[in-house]
Amino acid sequence: MASENPFKSILKTLEKPGGGEFGKYYSLTALNDPRIDKLPYSIKILLESAIRNCDEFQVKSKDVEKIIDWENSAPKLVEIPFKPARVLLQDFTGVPAVVDLACMRDAMNRLGGDSNKINPLVPVDLVIDHSVQVDVAKSENAVQKNMEFEFQRNNERFGFLKWGSNAFHNMLVVPPGSGIVHQVNLEYLGRVVFNTDGMLYPDSVVGTDSHTTMIDGLGVAGWGVGGIEAEATMLGQPMSMVLPGVVGFKLLGKLREGVTATDLVLTVTQMLRKHGVVGKFVEFYGQGMSELSLADRATIANMSPEYGATMGFFPVDHVTLQYLKLTGRSDDTIATIESYLRANKMFVDYSEPQVERVYSSYLVLNLEDVEPCISGPKRPHDRVPLKEMKADWQGCLDSRVGFKGFAVPKESQKKVAEFTFHGTPAQLRHGDVVIAAITSCTNTSNPSVMLGAALVAKKACELGLEVKPWIKTSLAPGSGVVTKYLLKSDLQKYLNQLGFHIVGYGCTTCIGNSGDLDEAVASAITENDIVAAAVLSGNRNFEGRVHPLTRANYLGSPPLVVAYALAGTVDIDFETEPIGLGKDGKKIFFRDIWPSNEEVANAVQSSVLPDMFRATYEAITKGNPMWNQLSVPSGTLYAWDPKSTYIHEPPYFADMSMSPPGPHGVKNAYCLLNFGDSITTDHISPAGSIHRDSPAARYLLERGVDRRDFNSYGSRRGNDEVMARGTFANIRIVNKLLKGEVGPKTIHIPTGEKLSVFDAAMKYKSEGHDTIILAGAEYGSGSSRDWAAKGPMLLGVKAVIAKSFERIHRSNLVGMGVIPLCFKAGEDADTLGLTGHEQVSIDLPSSVNEIRPGQDVTVVTDNGKSFTCTLRFDTEVELAYFDHGGILQYVIRNLINAKH
């Protein structure tokens, strides 16, 4: 049971310099423990939370001691509870989260509990980060058209979220069209320091998108979790986490002329990938920090999932305070933030002597060593210096199919596909760009690269360069502020001239919302087997994600996106080959259109103003006419509509009783899918378009939904019937059971039939057979997508045996009651001679008390093979979730049983 906080003696009052007080706070310095001074800043945030929430029940004194003794305890991978200050949900994950809360209320009712206990216990910020289709890209009023289109398609979802904002306490809903969730978080929602009823404490956040880490650039500790974990946090459960190691990343010097923040990010991403930072925090420090704007820091922090870290953290300093002022935070708020963080020794003042902190390991980068680069063609950490791009592209054509290869025969590499585009003769070659998108949360709110892109456009237009009309160009800023400063600088017109019209404020190309290519272009690619390219300023370029027809996808800075759109191909050496012909047939080179650092800095200085941020976010709080006109039902229990194809009551609690079901083993299970390495959550649960021949399409057609109204999987995440059918429906999936064939099919082992994955899973279920999945390394990498765990569970998958798991995805599998197992080092399905045609049994004790986190488990096949795996329940709390059949069931039973 909870008891009084044992640390109440260090609760101090923070006084204002001129009299009065800011509030009360738990003083870390009052503990008089010399170990605290050496702790990384990111670990101090975990420490403060543990002290403030210590009740000897959910958070114990021994947990506080583990964190204080971080230097010695972190290497032992000890478990600690963490209670973040708030939860951030975005639209796609917000809908299923609110669906689950509504479901839980119903379940509480059925089980005789008080359904009104199901309410967020910490502040929940839900941003309707609506996805923007770029089909109306080349028009001046694209934003309005897209907004009307989104409300027309998603009226039901938006209405459901508006109902949720009224039905649940402690939930702020930011209406559609306001910006990308991470940018709204940075510019508006991020508190840095909370003042709740006179109690001061650091802001910290978990969000249902892996790029929640963007907020780390503001000195707010935040990272992505699955929707399942987020819901538990909302309901007052502490997050169970392994106390992380912290990599100290020292920055020196300053960036050279012509080098962008994106070049720095791709360099940092590659360095950290090589160093190995999965499950760790990365904390940046050093004199080079003063050379990085807050937007640059946020860009680096945003890419944490791509380098594999839990966080890429930038402690609060003067640059942070300047940004808070720029974005319209009040002087009183900023004074409170600075005073509190200085009092608790959590503020970095580079004008004072620095105490050398202890880190688990160290990296150093001199910013002067960073050079222009892009990453691709299939992974964000495969960085290519710009000067080597032409040679690297040739290597990709030559190499066997893989992350850096397309295996195009020598005789086909110079192939020219002739086609007609709107009556004009046109040609396509391997490496030709067909999509050029300034998109995604990573770069589209960093003024230096956005204005840099606009300056490239200006120079190109003045020199007479044009973008080929069949290249699909688009600009989707992360925030409405971007539009204001592009207009103030008088540069937006040049982007428009090249086809980079603003299409809206939300996720676009990065998440697969590229829309269709022109039919003539699509036919030229497919009929001639052309390896077409997309260039985007995003953070994800996995194959099949950006667009089904672009096999080569490159990440680069917004100015480079414009440059490659003008060149029309990635098969170019920018140093020696012209980008194109300008006026009078003159050759124009890359150097002719690239702005100087001074030009960019001047544009930022004169065009980015605090009033722009204030005006943008005042408008958010008032909502927009379409949002304000949505009529929603009242009442705290949701009236489910059985005919709805967007919002459906999932079956998670259908047979739930008050007694936990206990752990389950697996008996004679068939392999549903047999995978290699790097299967992403996008392979498991795609967010993009619903393929016309898929089980999900069949389901929608049967319910009278027209093909043009299919929308995306992401937008239908509130309907488990669609999402179960969309599980493993990515058209680029490679399942070893199909012996080289690519696509979302599998073999039903007992009959040898080739079926869609959903149909095979339902056949196994109807026959009473369990299923498992075999996989390689990094299973579940990519976005923290809870449906990548919910979907397999609904398909009847009982266990996943992989070489390794992405952190959030493993946690999500646990939350849905699916057993994660790891092969022993040096072993995998191939080395053990597993074909996927075996039946597999996994023996687990029937009592959770007999299972230990990380214990060895024996797996036996029906053909006599036996091997040992590591059980990847990593904490005692995860075992409790497994005992209850899942995290949501655990929370409901605990709330009903709670006596306090």
Side-chain angles (χ1 to χ4, degrees), residues 536-808:
L536 61 151
S537 66
N539 45 37
R540 294 271 161 85
N541 57 341
F542 306 126
E543 197 175 13
R545 180 180 174 110
V546 172
H547 192 283
L549 295 180
T550 59
R551 280 151 66 192
N553 302 291
Y554 285 94
L555 307 180
S557 65
L560 273 180
V561 171
V562 177
Y564 273 108
L566 290 161
T569 180
V570 297
D571 185 13
I572 183 172
D573 180 346
F574 278 144
E575 288 191 13
T576 60
E577 295 178 85
I579 272 189
L581 300 178
K583 294 170 185 165
D584 311 321
K586 186 188 169 198
K587 288 181 179 177
I588 308 296
F589 288 85
F590 180 79
R591 56 184 170 271
D592 300 326
I593 61 169
W594 200 257
S596 69
N597 290 8
E598 188 181 5
E599 284 176 280
V600 174
N602 288 342
V604 171
Q605 190 67 37
S606 60
S607 307
V608 186
L609 307 171
D611 284 351
M612 295 175 175
F613 292 90
R614 285 195 199 97
T616 300
Y617 289 106
E618 274 166 19
I620 280 180
T621 53
K622 293 176 184 152
N624 58 60
M626 283 181 271
W627 173 259
N628 295 339
Q629 284 159 19
L630 280 176
S631 65
V632 297
S634 56
T636 58
L637 292 175
Y638 189 69
W640 304 98
D641 177 2
K643 295 191 292 292
S644 170
T645 56
Y646 276 105
I647 309 295
H648 184 265
E649 184 176 14
Y652 308 141
F653 310 113
D655 305 315
M656 183 177 165
S657 67
M658 279 304 294
S659 303
H664 62 82
V666 176
K667 193 156 180 63
N668 294 327
Y670 284 100
C671 177
L672 182 63
L673 294 143
N674 183 3
F675 291 129
D677 295 344
S678 295
I679 290 295
T680 69
T681 50
D682 207 67
H683 288 115
I684 305 167
S685 183
S689 57
I690 296 171
H691 196 271
R692 59 178 58 229
D693 300 323
S694 64
R698 202 164 63 224
Y699 171 88
L700 293 171
L701 288 169
E702 284 165 3
R703 278 150 190 79
V705 178
D706 197 277
R707 278 195 196 282
R708 69 170 181 271
D709 297 323
F710 276 4
N711 214 329
S712 63
Y713 284 114
S715 63
R716 293 193 182 269
R717 282 181 184 168
N719 187 317
D720 58 287
E721 300 273 8
V722 174
M723 298 309 290
R725 286 163 174 78
T727 303
F728 301 111
N730 187 306
I731 61 166
R732 293 276 174 204
I733 215 158
V734 178
N735 170 16
K736 292 181 188 175
L737 292 175
L738 293 182
K739 300 197 182 317
E741 186 183 332
V742 177
K745 296 278 176 77
T746 195
I747 302 297
H748 177 255
I749 305 295
T751 62
E753 277 182 277
K754 186 165 75 172
L755 300 169
S756 74
V757 177
F758 175 77
D759 289 342
M762 293 305 101
K763 194 169 171 71
Y764 281 127
K765 264 191 152 181
S766 68
E767 295 162 351
H769 293 306
D770 287 347
T771 52
I772 61 143
I773 286 166
L774 294 174
E778 297 177 348
Y779 182 76
S781 56
S783 301
S784 50
R785 205 164 283 172
D786 56 337
W787 267 110
K790 288 176 174 176
M793 183 275 289
L794 290 175
L795 294 186
V797 172
K798 295 293 188 266
V800 179
I801 311 177
K803 282 173 76 173
S804 63
F805 291 93
E806 191 276 337
R807 176 182 63 87
I808 300 171

Side-chain angles (χ1 to χ4, degrees), residues 1 57-58 108 113-114 117 235 237 658 890-900:
M1 298 292 287
F57 177 59
Q58 288 187 327
M108 281 284 271
D114 177 3
K117 276 189 177 178
L235 295 163
Q237 293 300 305
M658 279 304 294
Y890 170 86
V891 169
I892 288 174
R893 291 189 184 102
N894 272 11
L895 284 172
I896 291 175
N897 289 327
K899 300 288 189 289
H900 61 285

Side-chain angles (χ1 to χ4, degrees), residues 130-150:
H130 75 114
S131 57
V132 178
Q133 299 294 323
V134 296
D135 290 327
V136 292
K138 306 224 176 177
S139 81
E140 291 289 352
N141 59 348
V143 177
Q144 183 62 21
K145 277 189 176 179
N146 258 319
M147 188 64 102
E148 287 166 6
F149 185 46
E150 280 294 288

Side-chain angles (χ1 to χ4, degrees), residues 168-215:
F168 297 104
H169 307 311
N170 232 358
M171 185 182 282
L172 167 72
V173 176
V174 177
S178 307
I180 291 177
V181 56
H182 310 306
Q183 194 60 28
V184 175
N185 195 20
L186 198 69
E187 292 175 358
Y188 178 63
L189 297 171
R191 280 72 152 182
V192 186
V193 170
F194 263 89
N195 186 345
T196 304
D197 302 326
M199 176 67 76
L200 301 169
Y201 53 95
D203 186 5
S204 56
V205 59
V206 290
T208 52
D209 185 273
S210 49
H211 294 106
T212 300
T213 53
M214 190 165 185
I215 199 68

Side-chain angles (χ1 to χ4, degrees), residues 59-320:
V59 183
K60 300 180 178 176
S61 301
K62 65 181 184 185
D63 298 315
V64 173
E65 171 56 27
K66 285 177 192 171
I67 302 171
I68 292 174
D69 198 36
W70 169 83
E71 189 179 350
N72 296 310
S73 53
K76 296 172 188 163
L77 303 178
V78 299
E79 173 196 348
I80 60 155
F82 175 51
K83 287 197 163 189
R86 63 187 170 101
V87 171
L88 180 70
L89 301 175
Q90 47 102 267
D91 178 12
F92 278 178
T93 40
V95 171
V98 179
V99 163
D100 288 354
L101 287 174
C103 256
M104 290 172 78
R105 278 196 172 168
D106 289 349
M108 281 284 271
N109 246 8
R110 284 199 299 274
L111 292 167
D114 177 3
S115 64
N116 286 325
K117 276 189 177 178
I118 304 288
N119 259 319
L121 294 181
V122 299
V124 174
D125 299 321
L126 197 163
V127 181
I128 303 185
D129 176 357
H130 75 114
S131 57
V132 178
Q133 299 294 323
V134 296
D135 290 327
V136 292
K138 306 224 176 177
S139 81
E140 291 289 352
N141 59 348
V143 177
Q144 183 62 21
K145 277 189 176 179
N146 258 319
M147 188 64 102
E148 287 166 6
F149 185 46
E150 280 294 288
F151 266 85
Q152 178 193 324
R153 288 176 11 142
N154 299 306
N155 204 285
E156 193 180 339
R157 283 169 55 241
F158 293 167
F160 176 68
L161 291 176
K162 194 173 176 184
W163 167 81
S165 70
N166 299 326
F168 297 104
H169 307 311
N170 232 358
M171 185 182 282
L172 167 72
V173 176
V174 177
S178 307
I180 291 177
V181 56
H182 310 306
Q183 194 60 28
V184 175
N185 195 20
L186 198 69
E187 292 175 358
Y188 178 63
L189 297 171
R191 280 72 152 182
V192 186
V193 170
F194 263 89
N195 186 345
T196 304
D197 302 326
M199 176 67 76
L200 301 169
Y201 53 95
D203 186 5
S204 56
V205 59
V206 290
T208 52
D209 185 273
S210 49
H211 294 106
T212 300
T213 53
M214 190 165 185
I215 199 68
D216 303 337
L218 195 68
V220 174
W223 58 87
V225 295
I228 302 151
E229 279 182 294
E231 288 166 37
T233 303
M234 283 157 48
L235 295 163
Q237 293 300 305
M239 278 180 55
S240 180
M241 61 184 285
V242 173
L243 186 60
V246 183
V247 178
F249 199 122
K250 191 172 191 175
L251 296 170
L252 305 170
K254 63 185 291 186
L255 294 173
R256 286 182 295 159
E257 185 65 39
V259 176
T260 67
T262 317
D263 301 323
L264 169 60
V265 173
L266 296 177
T267 304
V268 167
T269 299
Q270 188 182 43
M271 283 178 71
L272 287 168
R273 265 277 169 190
K274 189 176 176 188
H275 186 74
V277 292
V278 172
K280 296 187 174 77
F281 290 175
V282 176
E283 186 165 295
F284 293 88
Y285 70 105
Q287 291 304 324
M289 290 279 279
S290 57
E291 296 294 332
L292 293 184
S293 71
L294 199 291
D296 292 349
R297 297 173 181 195
T299 309
I300 294 169
N302 179 292
M303 289 284 274
S304 296
E306 280 66 49
Y307 43 82
T310 304
M311 275 206 303
F313 187 74
F314 291 81
V316 176
D317 60 12
H318 286 106
V319 173
T320 323

